[in-house]
Amino acid sequence: MLIPIHRTDHAVATQRSLVGDSWATEVVPRLPATLAAQARTLKAFRRVRGLATPADLLRAVLAYVLGALSTRRLGAWAVLIGLADISEAAWRKRLRACHPWLLWLLSELVAVPTPPAPTPPQPAGRILLVDASRLRQPGGTGDDWRLHLAYDFTAGRMGQVLVTDQHTGEHLAHYTLRAGDVVVADNGYGYRGMVAVAVRQQADVVLRITPSTFPLETEGAAPFDILAWLRTPGLTPREWLGWCQWKQQRYQVRLLAAQLPPAAAAAARQRKRQKAQKAGRTPTAATLLLAGWVLVLTTLPAASWPLAEVLRLYRARWQVELVFKRMKQLLRLNQIRSTHRTSVEATVRALLVAWALQEGAMAEIRPLLPRGAPEAPTPASSWLLTGLSLDTLRQQVQGTWSQARLRACLPRLQRFLVLSPRRREHQETAVRAWLEGRAITPPSRQEEAA
């Protein structure tokens, strides 16, 4: 029987050419058109010396952060793929010089086109899940840098992002809101000033609060006793319409209270007792009472947002925590390898640029997957989609090379592969030289008998 012959050489060569060119064909077209001009304006790319274009510089920066490379390995990688042949010190200087350019690029990638002037009826605004996460640098405390994120849950992408040091706290003033936006945040943002910031921009909030840091008042400006309200027997969840005041300005708000299940309430009270014991004090009765409740404050109108729907929306706030988890696990955002401020800022911004690029790729892939019937949905895994999108971006950025290419580049790779002369003995080299010079010929039988 004749077996048909399949010529695979051409197919393999075609596939390799497509893989090698995927950066230019799939990533570069998604970058802003003014990328090169801004690189020169912000002095990230001053003149052609070793690197041909700003796009090549961006590729090197992404390879550095996505592959967790050292600057020495980055130099070797650039030689192997034919990108550049510059020293390790030159790469370090270029990485530090491009951080303002990376900030501009990040803002361009997460920017949303300005919507047209609203006409009645106005479209629904964005659902922004707002939170901050701590980043650690080598030798740090774990709270050395902070990543502030407004996650656009409606679009499934970063809305706004800010990187600061540990001295900058959580605040809605970090973000620019639009009319109709709904900001959902935890009790780190549960202050009256946050309500004022959102209302001034015609946005609404859904915030978890603590009574001691968020005093409320009745319509007649009398203080409202939240603890007495919670102790009053009645339905749960429950709602109260009142006011809060900030800088001589009053804002109408709704207070929603949902009681935790008995097991969850008991666990919350136990955590409060352990925390108080660790601090050498006794928890108050008010603290133990509040531990069994979830207090949510909102400015959303009750007519369009009933109590149950607001509480459900607040529970969706957990999605921004999952975004941080995916960033740290899949993007290794929590593994900052530098203590130099400029290098840290450039590294984090480059990682976020990579995240924004994979979000765009994932947004194109997700609609192509089957969703199932409404009564039996088959949702796509955001973890797997994100991981696959990041792996694809790494492959597009890093490229490939052959063993023959490695051999051909050895003369130019020597400065990266061969260590500088050193006073301290290099054990591996010394032991190898010793073994090579040692007489390993076995003794003769006469010598053994003697």
Side-chain angles (χ1 to χ4, degrees):
M1 178 179 178
L2 294 178
I3 299 176
I5 299 176
H6 298 279
R7 300 287 183 180
T8 60
D9 296 343
H10 175 70
V12 171
T14 302
Q15 183 177 1
R16 286 178 179 172
S17 65
L18 289 175
V19 169
D21 198 41
S22 59
W23 166 261
T25 59
E26 298 178 358
V27 180
V28 174
R30 288 156 46 194
L31 300 174
T34 57
L35 181 75
Q38 287 293 329
R40 290 179 170 86
T41 301
L42 299 173
K43 299 181 180 181
F45 191 89
R46 299 188 180 185
R47 57 185 179 272
V48 178
R49 178 178 290 181
L51 279 169
T53 65
D56 290 343
L57 174 60
L58 177 62
R59 184 176 185 179
V61 171
L62 292 178
Y64 172 72
V65 296
L66 288 174
L69 305 179
S70 64
T71 49
R72 185 179 287 263
R73 281 188 61 191
L74 177 63
W77 165 84
V79 169
L80 286 170
I81 70 166
L83 189 74
D85 187 2
I86 59 179
S87 67
E88 175 186 1
W91 276 119
R92 191 178 299 113
K93 291 179 182 178
R94 286 182 178 267
L95 291 172
R96 291 178 179 176
C98 69
H99 77 99
W101 179 51
L102 292 173
L103 176 60
W104 168 84
L105 177 58
L106 178 61
S107 63
E108 288 292 310
L109 292 176
V110 302
V112 179
T114 304
T119 56
Q122 295 186 11
R126 301 171 297 174
I127 302 297
L128 297 178
L129 310 182
V130 174
D131 204 356
S133 184
R134 300 174 179 178
L135 304 178
R136 180 176 184 174
Q137 68 184 27
T141 62
D143 187 17
D144 305 294
W145 297 89
R146 291 180 183 175
L147 175 63
H148 305 262
L149 174 64
Y151 180 69
D152 187 350
F153 185 71
T154 310
R157 60 195 294 272
M158 289 190 299
Q160 297 177 54
V161 64
L162 177 68
V163 181
T164 68
D165 58 21
Q166 74 273 26
H167 302 295
T168 303
E170 299 171 320
H171 206 287
L172 293 187
H174 298 324
Y175 312 103
T176 301
L177 307 178
R178 298 204 305 251
D181 285 347
V182 179
V183 177
V184 185
D186 61 10
N187 54 8
Y189 300 83
Y191 298 92
R192 294 167 293 171
M194 308 296 179
V195 175
V197 169
V199 172
R200 280 199 300 265
Q201 302 178 70
Q202 301 180 25
D204 290 292
V205 296
V206 177
L207 308 174
R208 187 168 182 175
I209 68 166
T210 302
S212 59
T213 59
F214 205 113
L216 295 171
E217 57 186 38
T218 63
E219 187 174 0
F224 177 68
D225 190 347
I226 298 180
L227 296 178
W229 179 61
L230 295 178
R231 292 190 181 100
T232 303
L235 298 176
T236 179
R238 60 184 64 175
E239 177 178 352
W240 177 80
L241 181 65
W243 299 80
C244 70
Q245 184 176 158
W246 179 251
K247 294 183 177 180
Q248 290 77 47
Q249 181 68 37
R250 299 186 79 200
Y251 303 92
Q252 190 173 44
V253 295
R254 296 163 59 199
L255 178 63
L256 316 178
Q259 197 167 16
L260 294 176
R269 293 188 180 99
Q270 181 61 24
R271 289 193 296 269
K272 293 293 184 181
R273 293 188 182 96
Q274 291 176 351
K275 184 178 180 179
Q277 183 180 10
K278 196 172 182 180
R281 53 185 174 79
T282 303
T284 63
T287 299
L288 297 178
L289 171 66
L290 292 172
W293 291 84
V294 175
L295 299 178
V296 175
L297 183 133
T298 183
T299 57
L300 290 168
S304 54
W305 284 92
L307 182 151
E309 293 189 7
V310 174
L311 292 177
R312 183 179 184 183
L313 180 60
Y314 177 76
R315 286 194 293 269
R317 191 206 63 84
W318 182 248
Q319 294 301 313
V320 71
E321 302 283 0
L322 296 180
V323 172
F324 283 130
K325 287 179 179 289
R326 290 196 290 269
M327 284 182 172
K328 292 182 178 181
Q329 293 185 19
L330 301 177
L331 195 61
R332 297 192 288 267
L333 186 62
N334 59 334
Q335 298 178 13
I336 300 177
R337 296 170 289 147
S338 176
T339 57
H340 192 280
R341 182 182 182 89
T342 305
S343 298
V344 170
E345 291 178 346
T347 299
V348 175
R349 288 169 182 172
L351 285 168
L352 294 174
V353 165
W355 187 266
L357 289 173
Q358 73 82 23
E359 280 185 334
M362 188 172 62
E364 298 175 0
I365 297 299
R366 189 185 290 270
L368 304 178
L369 298 173
R371 299 182 180 182
E375 62 276 5
T378 56
S381 170
S382 294
W383 284 89
L384 295 178
L385 273 176
T386 302
L388 187 61
S389 298
L390 285 173
D391 289 341
T392 302
L393 181 61
R394 287 190 180 97
Q395 174 268 319
Q396 293 167 333
V397 169
Q398 294 173 349
T400 59
W401 56 83
S402 63
Q403 183 74 10
R405 173 68 178 174
L406 178 60
R407 289 176 177 271
C409 293
L410 278 179
R412 291 186 291 159
L413 292 175
Q414 287 184 11
R415 61 175 169 178
F416 303 112
L417 301 179
V418 179
L419 301 178
S420 303
R422 49 192 290 171
R423 294 182 179 179
R424 183 180 177 183
E425 181 184 72
H426 188 249
Q427 186 185 50
E428 179 185 0
T429 303
V431 172
R432 288 185 184 277
W434 167 64
L435 290 176
E436 289 176 0
R438 183 175 180 273
I440 58 175
T441 305
S444 60
R445 291 186 178 180
Q446 291 80 5
E447 293 176 347
E448 290 180 352

